[in-house]
């Protein structure tokens, strides 16, 4: 059984995603290191560390105009999930030892499920772009 239901994770993700705009996206990109530190220090979130780095890479390439082949709803969902991770007073407050990051992991997992195909396309584009940049 998951820590929070898919329905509750979806509600939280949708709530956070609704508030994403250019200012919050810029602020989130500036706090990338803080999110990555939180992920690395948490067993519950650490398994998502590679995915979260890819999510930040997509957001940064979108922000800088290098990659725009992604719908805004994907950008908003990714940013919403990462902003949720940053919020210490979310559904289950982070200071509750052993349980505080279960909801964060549930929201990130749901987000990954929802944007999986867009992330795969971006990863392929990024790999191709890296290969052609090296030539």
């Amino acid at each position: 059984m998951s820590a929070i239901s898919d329905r509750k994770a979806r509600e939280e993700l949708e709530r956070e995603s609704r508030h994403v705009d250019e200012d919050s996206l810029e602020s989130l990109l500036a706090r990338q290191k803080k999110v990555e530190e939180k992920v690395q220090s948490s067993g519950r979130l650490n398994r998502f560390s590679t995915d979260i780095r890819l999510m930040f890479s997509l957001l940064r390439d979108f922000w800088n105009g290098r990659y725009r082949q992604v719908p805004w709803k994907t950008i908003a969902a990714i940013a919403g999930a990462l902003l949720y991770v940053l919020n210490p007073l979310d559904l289950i407050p982070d200071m509750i030892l052993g349980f505080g990051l279960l909801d964060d992991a549930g929201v990130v997992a749901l987000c990954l499920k929802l944007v999986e195909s867009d992330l795969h396309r971006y990863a392929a584009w990024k790999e191709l772009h890296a290969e052609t940049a090296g030539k």
Side-chain angles (χ1 to χ4, degrees), residues 26-28 51 59 61 64 66 93 112:
E26 183 176 29
S27 173
L28 174 61
D51 294 317
L59 292 179
D61 280 339
N64 291 323
R66 288 188 293 261
L112 288 169

Side-chain angles (χ1 to χ4, degrees), residues 36-47:
E36 288 178 349
E37 287 169 358
K38 185 174 182 179
V39 168
Q40 292 299 321
S41 67
S42 163
R44 306 249 187 239
L45 288 170
N46 193 27
R47 65 185 169 143

Side-chain angles (χ1 to χ4, degrees), residues 119-129:
L119 273 178
H120 284 302
R121 277 192 293 278
Y122 168 70
W125 172 87
K126 186 175 175 173
E127 187 175 318
L128 180 64
H129 183 71

Side-chain angles (χ1 to χ4, degrees), residues 99-118:
F99 297 101
L101 298 175
L102 290 174
D103 60 322
D104 297 42
V107 169
V108 170
L110 176 66
C111 177
L112 288 169
K113 189 163 100 175
L114 295 174
V115 304
E116 181 179 25
S117 61
D118 289 325

Side-chain angles (χ1 to χ4, degrees), residues 20-27 63 72:
V20 173
D21 58 15
E22 287 189 12
D23 290 337
S24 59
L25 192 56
E26 183 176 29
S27 173
W63 178 255
W72 175 254

Side-chain angles (χ1 to χ4, degrees), residues 81-106:
L82 296 173
L83 287 165
Y84 189 86
V85 168
L86 274 174
N87 184 357
L89 299 175
D90 46 30
L91 187 62
I92 303 173
D94 294 350
M95 61 255 283
I96 299 176
L97 294 177
F99 297 101
L101 298 175
L102 290 174
D103 60 322
D104 297 42

